[in-house]
Amino acid sequence: MSGEMSPTGERPGPSSSPELRASHADRDRVVDVLRIAAGDGLLTADELDERLETALSARTLNELAVLTADLPAVSTAADGIAGGVAEVKDVVRIEQVFSGAVERTGRWVLPQRLELAVAWCDVTLDFTEAVVTQDTLRIDVAMAGKSLTLVTRPGVEVDVDGLTLVHCKLRHRRTRTPSDMPTTLRVELVGQKAHGRVVVRPPRRTLWQWLLRRPASPSAGD
């Protein structure tokens, strides 16, 4: 790897100093970029482990910069992302009753914990392009009726053991993950889902992918 880049994967300005000390926040930002890159297939499991170990022990910004020099910069187009740094919320609560569908798609920033207090509204959480900010996302479910749909990608595992189903069907289709790809995100569903159904599935294939018998691309949506 060569060249100097900031911990977010962007080139520093003329006034940047490579010998500045790295803070915990700087290390955390690099860890986020590395995990996203691994989820996108840009790093192998061994490369991710090696770079994470180096990032967590780095003392200067220059040591961090080389870890992301060969990776694309994180997009800043999504809400909650400014200057390439994801703004991570501790808890996001969604409350909705008898209204339109709830959707989180594209490059939405995952909070530390998500609370769903929803009745008779479809909920779709699409993780194919989500910005992963930690190893585990806990989703507290208090939901009745309609469907709760989670769209996954390689490296994303969903644990439904903590979810109680009352007159509710579960359909869990696991994403095919290469053996050398680490788990970048573990989604834990806890609480209760009454009536309706819970669906965990990979992205749907386009007509062209279906005709060619190809799997859906990780960035495909509903």
Side-chain angles (χ1 to χ4, degrees):
M1 294 181 287
S2 62
E4 296 179 358
M5 301 185 76
S6 73
T8 60
E10 298 176 351
R11 295 191 178 279
S15 61
S16 297
S17 172
E19 297 304 320
L20 289 176
R21 288 280 180 167
S23 66
H24 290 310
D26 294 324
R27 297 184 189 93
D28 290 342
R29 284 192 288 269
V30 170
V31 168
D32 290 343
V33 172
L34 295 174
R35 285 175 174 160
I36 292 172
D40 290 340
L42 299 175
L43 296 174
T44 66
D46 289 340
E47 288 174 328
L48 177 61
D49 290 342
E50 180 182 350
R51 296 193 191 195
L52 286 178
E53 182 178 352
T54 302
L56 294 175
S57 61
R59 293 182 298 173
T60 67
L61 293 181
N62 189 48
E63 292 177 75
L64 291 175
V66 296
L67 298 175
T68 58
D70 60 345
L71 300 175
V74 174
S75 171
T76 61
D79 292 337
I81 301 179
V85 179
E87 179 185 349
V88 183
K89 296 182 179 180
D90 292 336
V91 180
V92 170
R93 183 175 176 84
I94 299 175
E95 296 186 29
Q96 198 154 307
V97 179
F98 290 106
S99 58
V102 176
E103 293 186 347
R104 293 294 184 271
T105 60
R107 290 186 64 80
W108 62 294
V109 181
L110 301 185
Q112 298 289 338
R113 192 171 89 248
L114 180 62
E115 297 179 350
L116 291 179
V118 179
W120 305 103
C121 302
D122 287 316
V123 177
T124 300
L125 304 176
D126 190 337
F127 295 98
T128 55
E129 297 181 19
V131 179
V132 177
T133 57
Q134 70 278 328
D135 293 331
T136 304
L137 170 63
R138 176 188 169 109
I139 302 179
D140 292 317
V141 180
M143 184 174 173
K146 297 288 188 174
S147 296
L148 170 60
T149 303
L150 279 65
V151 184
T152 61
R153 69 185 184 201
V156 175
E157 298 291 337
V158 178
D159 183 355
V160 298
D161 290 345
L163 184 64
T164 300
L165 301 177
V166 180
H167 302 296
C168 179
K169 295 182 179 180
L170 170 66
R171 185 170 62 126
H172 193 169
R173 290 180 53 203
R174 287 176 171 78
T175 303
R176 294 181 180 179
T177 301
S179 57
D180 62 344
M181 176 176 290
T183 298
T184 55
L185 175 66
R186 179 183 176 84
V187 180
E188 297 180 349
L189 294 179
V190 297
Q192 179 174 290
K193 173 70 169 72
H195 306 286
R197 62 178 183 164
V198 176
V199 178
V200 181
R201 63 169 178 80
R204 288 175 178 158
R205 292 183 295 180
T206 64
L207 176 60
W208 184 247
Q209 290 170 333
W210 184 84
L211 291 173
L212 295 177
R213 297 296 190 271
R214 291 178 179 175
S217 61
S219 61
D222 253 334

